[in-house]
Amino acid sequence: MDYREILSESEYKKYEELINITNAVLFKLDQGGHFLSMNLEWSNITNYSLGETVGTHFLRYVNEKDQQTLKEQFGMLADRQKDGFFLEVELVSKQGQSEYVHLFLRSDLDENHTIISFSGTISSLSSRRLHVSAFRENDDNYRLISENMTDMVAVMAEDGLVLYASPSHTTILGYELPEYVGSYPMKHIHQDDWERMFNFFHEMILNWTTLGIEYRCAHKNGEYLDLEMKCTPIKGPNGEIQVVSVSRDITARKRAEADLRQANNKFKTLISSLPYGVLVEDENSQMTLYNDAYIDIFFAGGYSKKLHEAGQLQLLEETKQFIENYEAYEKQKKQITQNRLNCRGDEFQLKDGRTIERDAIPIEEDGRFDGYLWIFRDVTAKKISEQKLQEANQLFKSLSMIDGLTGIANRRCFDETLENEWKRLTEVSEPVSLLLFDIDFFKAFNDLYGHLAGDACLQKVGSILKTISWGDHDLIARYGGEEFTVLLPGCTAEKAAEIAQVVKNSIGYAAIPHKGSKIHDFLTVSIGISTTIATTVDKPSNLINEADKALYEAKRNGRNQIAVYSKY
């Protein structure tokens, strides 16, 4: 029979790969249980040729006493109640002889998880049990070492039959040695690992080399353990192929690795979802993790996939070109890392004008330094808002210090400036002088010309005062109503008298008509002057009171004149 008529091209290629494998029958059944393919080992066990077998039903070759059990298992497999099963059954050869075999069968699924066929293996038990007995008679060399090892040591025949197993198999897997020795451990292996294990075993013998593999094996209680195994092919006493295996339980390690992976995945998910840039470096300042927000901050959308694939060193090199003063940035970073500093809110500039805020947090585990967590935030918009708010506050403060009518400083500004200058002058023991003056007969001015004209008059006086040259610390202010003041820090009484004369003359030269005045046809002012040395004992209010007394003296003496305060 031509197998190409029965098998698909891909199945036939696999059939050709397996046809010459010995020590185990590899076969495939259709959904009804009929043979689709098998390798030559089938003929060695049953004496039926491959041509005779392909297309026939599997149960045809099973002893009648095992058929019902096999039907039940096959039905459960077809109904998807299980994905595979292991059985020890009796086959009947072409000559009617019984052959005890170990049978493994599993379902093959397509991409929609629909059963399309079944595949399995058959290993002879009848002939292999003789090998077990023979090995037991010559296993003294293994016992001395293997029975005192915590790892599981086993010797297997070429087809995987266990010839010898160390006592640690009972400790780790729960099986008593008589249960394990003389069996095929394949039945304990997780069905999803079976094909990988078979290929591993075949490759190890074919290449005659030591190989390792990780797989899942069932404990006697039904729970699966993760095992790590290394196998080495050797020649037995009679030249037959044997395999020495050393296995250890790595379940705890695998679970820890899984937990670590899960924790890392959660951590990476958290990091990637953060709205600010994150960079993690190890103790040697090597980049180990960064998120997309970090890229967006520095590259502003210009970061290519090609650059990402180029590696972290290239990424760091490219980052440098975006920082305004990279030398200062790197110097500060080294200072932070070398001294294990915890820094928050450091700012640096990018060349495109943006402001970046940086936090540096040392990572420690059990008291051991493990690197740094860097957090970057683009605070450009925040800084612009803060600057605008600061400017607005400054403008508001400036406006609150200016007299709305005259455009010069108001009473509030005068009080604060006097307080500050007084504190400054007490430290250097310098004098301070104050001019206090008001417009003569201003009520009569308002009565005659009206309040609008009165306001215009006050504005004119303010404008005149602003045209006079003042010192850096001098202050002109509207003190209230028609009253004005000039604060002269560091100014002596003689100099204050000269300035008062300039003020009086400047207003007189303006020749503002004042028909309501009793002493002149034009606007005049009366000025009081006080001078003192600022001390912590004295108070600024005394300076004002003394200037007020001098002003009263100037008015009492006929107005349009200057009076200097004197205690005598």
Side-chain angles (χ1 to χ4, degrees):
M1 181 178 292
D2 187 356
Y3 303 115
R4 295 180 184 273
E5 297 178 358
I6 301 173
L7 305 176
S8 66
E9 183 177 352
S10 61
E11 288 174 329
Y12 189 81
K13 285 182 180 179
K14 189 168 186 179
Y15 166 77
E16 285 183 323
E17 292 173 2
L18 301 177
I19 197 71
N20 294 318
I21 293 178
T22 61
N23 303 313
V25 177
L26 280 77
F27 65 95
K28 183 182 287 289
L29 305 177
D30 64 16
Q31 292 170 295
H34 300 86
F35 279 102
L36 292 175
S37 63
M38 75 287 295
N39 63 350
L40 291 173
E41 187 64 16
W42 171 259
S43 296
N44 295 333
I45 292 177
T46 65
N47 289 320
Y48 285 101
S49 68
L50 304 189
E52 290 178 287
T53 307
V54 171
T56 62
H57 200 282
F58 182 80
L59 290 179
R60 170 185 171 182
Y61 307 96
V62 178
N63 189 293
E64 188 176 345
K65 66 181 179 62
D66 292 330
Q67 289 187 7
Q68 183 58 37
T69 301
L70 192 55
K71 285 180 182 179
E72 292 174 358
Q73 292 294 325
F74 195 93
M76 294 173 69
L77 200 62
D79 293 339
R80 297 299 304 279
Q81 296 181 38
K82 56 170 59 177
D83 294 324
F85 66 84
F86 298 92
L87 281 179
E88 290 186 5
V89 299
E90 182 181 343
L91 296 184
V92 180
S93 69
K94 189 172 183 179
Q95 289 75 26
Q97 296 176 342
S98 295
E99 180 70 30
Y100 290 94
V101 298
H102 175 270
L103 168 66
F104 165 72
L105 193 65
R106 65 174 295 171
S107 54
D108 301 324
L109 308 177
D110 63 10
E111 63 274 8
N112 299 317
H113 298 280
T114 302
I115 296 175
I116 55 175
S117 60
F118 302 96
S119 58
T121 61
I122 295 173
S123 301
S124 173
L125 289 173
S126 302
S127 61
R128 307 310 289 160
R129 288 190 171 118
L130 296 175
H131 292 276
V132 176
S133 299
F135 188 87
R136 283 174 176 167
E137 296 175 1
N138 298 282
D139 66 351
D140 291 341
N141 292 332
Y142 292 99
R143 289 185 182 279
L144 181 62
I145 299 175
S146 65
E147 293 192 0
N148 291 284
M149 292 179 63
T150 56
D151 289 344
M152 296 184 293
V153 179
V155 180
M156 294 175 281
E158 184 181 3
D159 61 352
L161 182 83
V162 178
L163 303 175
Y164 165 80
S166 63
S168 51
H169 282 76
T170 301
T171 304
I172 295 175
L173 297 178
Y175 296 99
E176 297 297 329
L177 292 186
E179 296 180 87
Y180 199 76
V181 175
S183 70
Y184 285 91
M186 189 68 73
K187 65 183 179 182
H188 306 304
I189 296 174
H190 194 285
Q191 59 188 22
D192 291 340
D193 296 337
W194 179 86
E195 186 172 354
R196 188 166 55 88
M197 178 63 80
F198 176 83
N199 292 332
F200 158 81
F201 209 77
H202 177 64
E203 180 183 357
M204 179 259 306
I205 294 176
L206 181 65
N207 297 318
W208 203 258
T209 184
T210 299
L211 292 178
I213 190 172
E214 293 181 4
Y215 64 99
R216 290 162 291 179
C217 185
H219 188 277
K220 190 172 182 179
N221 62 13
E223 295 182 4
Y224 278 97
L225 303 178
D226 287 289
L227 300 182
E228 179 183 67
M229 179 174 70
K230 282 194 174 181
C231 293
T232 302
I234 62 172
K235 290 290 185 179
N238 300 317
E240 72 276 13
I241 296 175
Q242 294 178 351
V243 176
V244 178
S245 70
V246 180
S247 304
R248 64 179 53 185
D249 183 1
I250 59 170
T251 306
R253 190 192 83 189
K254 297 294 283 187
R255 288 175 181 170
E257 291 174 352
D259 290 343
L260 181 60
R261 282 194 301 272
Q262 186 178 23
N264 284 339
N265 288 336
K266 288 181 179 179
F267 178 69
K268 288 180 179 179
T269 301
L270 172 63
I271 291 299
S272 64
S273 63
L274 292 176
Y276 41 79
V278 174
L279 171 66
V280 179
E281 293 180 335
D282 63 18
E283 66 274 16
N284 298 315
S285 297
Q286 297 299 310
M287 178 187 296
T288 59
L289 178 67
Y290 58 88
N291 64 354
D292 290 341
Y294 171 81
I295 300 301
D296 293 339
I297 283 176
F298 286 97
F299 293 83
Y303 180 69
S304 66
K305 182 179 179 183
K306 183 178 180 181
L307 179 58
H308 176 74
E309 294 172 348
Q312 297 172 353
L313 289 177
Q314 183 66 22
L315 174 62
L316 289 175
E317 285 298 318
E318 292 293 329
T319 303
K320 294 179 183 179
Q321 66 177 313
F322 295 100
I323 298 175
E324 179 63 36
N325 189 343
Y326 183 76
E327 290 184 3
Y329 171 88
E330 188 63 18
K331 182 179 179 181
Q332 185 183 26
K333 181 181 177 183
K334 286 183 178 179
Q335 203 171 29
I336 291 171
T337 55
Q338 289 174 356
N339 296 288
R340 304 288 189 267
L341 301 179
N342 189 326
C343 300
R344 304 296 177 102
D346 289 339
E347 293 182 359
F348 61 93
Q349 298 294 126
L350 298 184
K351 291 181 179 180
D352 60 8
R354 288 182 293 140
T355 302
I356 306 301
E357 188 177 72
R358 177 182 65 179
D359 295 342
I361 305 167
I363 303 172
E364 294 185 356
E365 185 174 354
D366 298 328
R368 183 180 68 86
F369 175 70
D370 203 31
Y372 257 94
L373 168 65
W374 301 91
I375 298 175
F376 301 87
R377 290 177 291 271
D378 188 338
V379 294
T380 308
K382 175 186 173 185
K383 299 298 288 186
I384 292 175
S385 297
E386 288 177 351
Q387 183 178 356
K388 288 182 178 178
L389 180 60
Q390 187 177 9
E391 291 173 354
N393 288 336
Q394 188 63 38
L395 177 60
F396 176 77
K397 183 178 180 181
S398 299
L399 292 174
S400 68
M401 295 292 187
I402 296 175
D403 178 62
L405 181 64
T406 62
I408 60 177
N410 58 15
R411 174 67 178 272
R412 177 184 175 185
C413 181
F414 168 78
D415 289 340
E416 288 188 11
T417 303
L418 176 59
E419 187 73 27
N420 293 333
E421 288 297 320
W422 189 273
K423 290 178 182 179
R424 183 178 69 84
L425 293 171
T426 56
E427 297 176 358
V428 294
S429 299
E430 289 188 0
V432 56
S433 296
L434 182 69
L435 310 184
L436 190 63
F437 63 94
D438 64 6
I439 299 172
D440 295 327
F441 302 109
F442 188 68
K443 183 178 183 304
F445 188 96
N446 277 336
D447 292 342
L448 179 62
Y449 297 108
H451 287 285
L452 291 179
D455 289 346
C457 176
L458 294 174
Q459 290 173 337
K460 181 63 176 177
V461 171
S463 297
I464 294 170
L465 292 175
K466 285 191 285 186
T467 61
I468 299 172
S469 178
W470 304 103
D472 293 338
H473 295 280
D474 297 345
L475 177 71
I476 56 173
R478 183 184 177 191
Y479 198 70
E482 74 276 15
E483 201 166 23
F484 295 84
T485 184
V486 179
L487 178 64
L488 302 167
C491 185
T492 62
E494 293 78 7
K495 183 65 175 176
E498 294 177 5
I499 294 174
Q501 191 62 50
V502 171
V503 171
K504 180 176 177 296
N505 292 341
S506 297
I507 293 174
Y509 294 153
I512 302 172
H514 186 1
K515 298 298 182 180
S517 174
K518 297 178 180 179
I519 59 172
H520 207 288
D521 291 338
F522 297 101
L523 197 73
T524 59
V525 294
S526 299
I527 304 176
I529 304 174
S530 63
T531 303
T532 189
I533 299 296
T535 65
T536 55
V537 177
D538 208 352
K539 294 181 180 180
S541 58
N542 292 338
L543 184 68
I544 299 174
N545 291 334
E546 292 170 357
D548 190 54
K549 289 178 180 179
L551 175 60
Y552 177 78
E553 183 66 19
K555 289 182 178 181
R556 192 173 67 82
N557 292 334
R559 291 182 170 83
N560 192 26
Q561 57 184 279
I562 300 171
V564 179
Y565 173 77
S566 174
K567 295 182 180 179
Y568 308 100

